[in-house]
Amino acid sequence: IEMDTVLGTKNKGKRMLTMLFVQRSLMLIFLLRDGKADTVVEHFDWLTSALGLNTFRKLFPAILTDNGSEFKRTLEMERTIDGSIRTKIFYCDPQASWQKPHIEKNHEYIRYVLPKGKSFDPYTQEDFTLLANHINSTKRMQYGGKSPFEMATADEFRELFYVMGLHPVPSDDVTLTKRLFRS
């Protein structure tokens, strides 16, 4: 799993926490109210609670991210509130975002809809879930014309989809332009 954040306007307001299942190009998008490390840990805690620890461990055995300040609470991300191990966090070298190229490339899909510099403040988690549904429904040549949704067939993914409200969008209805959000 590769993990990153996407900023709307530089250094202020809401942002996205993105997680990418590299083998499937399946991306999760979480709305963050700010760029603080505690907020990222809250999302880890919520997702662990919603999925259950065993399912979380199966889906997220190891996560690669950058050295951003929002990812500095390593122990809290790796362990649950009661101290149980839930994942392992690994960091790229400083100034080496190329070490997590898949998520950086996948962010291009986000920018088709929400250009750099556009504030995320008007958006909700439901909006970002809609965006993830469209991105994950996009057919990919590297998977023989299948979408990330079609590549994620294990039971754990069905649980994740249910918890996150994710579902495929018919191919003819996939929209990755500014028209996806009418704002």
Side-chain angles (χ1 to χ4, degrees):
I1 313 302
E2 294 179 3
M3 180 171 69
D4 201 1
T5 52
V6 178
L7 304 177
T9 51
K10 196 156 181 91
N11 297 325
K12 57 182 170 180
K14 295 178 183 177
R15 57 197 65 202
M16 293 178 189
L17 172 67
T18 58
M19 300 175 93
L20 184 76
F21 294 86
V22 174
Q23 300 287 332
R24 295 162 181 84
S25 293
L26 183 83
M27 186 161 59
L28 305 179
I29 303 174
F30 300 91
L31 174 65
L32 299 178
R33 68 179 172 274
D34 55 40
K36 296 181 179 169
D38 287 342
T39 306
V40 172
V41 171
E42 286 173 14
H43 280 76
F44 271 63
D45 291 341
W46 173 82
L47 194 54
T48 303
S49 174
L51 290 171
L53 183 57
N54 288 334
T55 300
F56 188 97
R57 285 178 178 154
K58 286 179 187 174
L59 287 167
F60 305 96
I63 300 171
L64 175 66
T65 192
D66 58 39
N67 291 292
S69 62
E70 67 273 30
F71 301 127
K72 292 301 181 194
R73 302 275 310 270
T74 309
L75 186 61
E76 291 87 345
M77 288 187 293
E78 288 185 333
R79 297 181 179 268
T80 63
I81 293 168
D82 70 1
S84 298
I85 296 173
R86 69 173 138 205
T87 190
K88 288 303 240 176
I89 303 291
F90 296 92
Y91 294 95
C92 297
D93 293 324
Q95 305 298 315
S97 60
W98 54 268
Q99 292 176 341
K100 51 180 182 59
H102 306 95
I103 199 162
E104 298 293 343
K105 179 73 176 156
N106 223 55
H107 284 169
E108 290 179 8
Y109 290 108
I110 293 170
R111 294 305 185 188
Y112 296 155
V113 178
L114 298 168
K116 211 171 210 169
K118 181 168 178 56
S119 173
F120 296 159
D121 288 348
Y123 299 100
T124 65
Q125 179 61 53
E126 291 76 21
D127 293 325
F128 288 166
T129 299
L130 176 67
L131 177 59
N133 284 335
H134 282 258
I135 291 170
N136 292 323
S137 295
T138 302
K139 306 284 186 181
R140 313 289 169 96
M141 288 186 53
Q142 72 260 37
Y143 302 124
K146 291 183 177 180
S147 72
F149 275 127
E150 293 170 307
M151 296 298 297
T153 57
D155 289 341
E156 295 83 21
F157 284 105
R158 281 191 284 262
E159 291 178 53
L160 178 64
F161 297 161
Y162 176 77
V163 164
M164 295 288 301
L166 296 171
H167 57 82
V169 174
S171 295
D172 291 343
D173 296 336
V174 171
T175 302
L176 289 176
T177 66
K178 296 174 191 174
R179 289 188 330 234
L180 184 61
F181 300 126
R182 304 200 189 286
S183 60

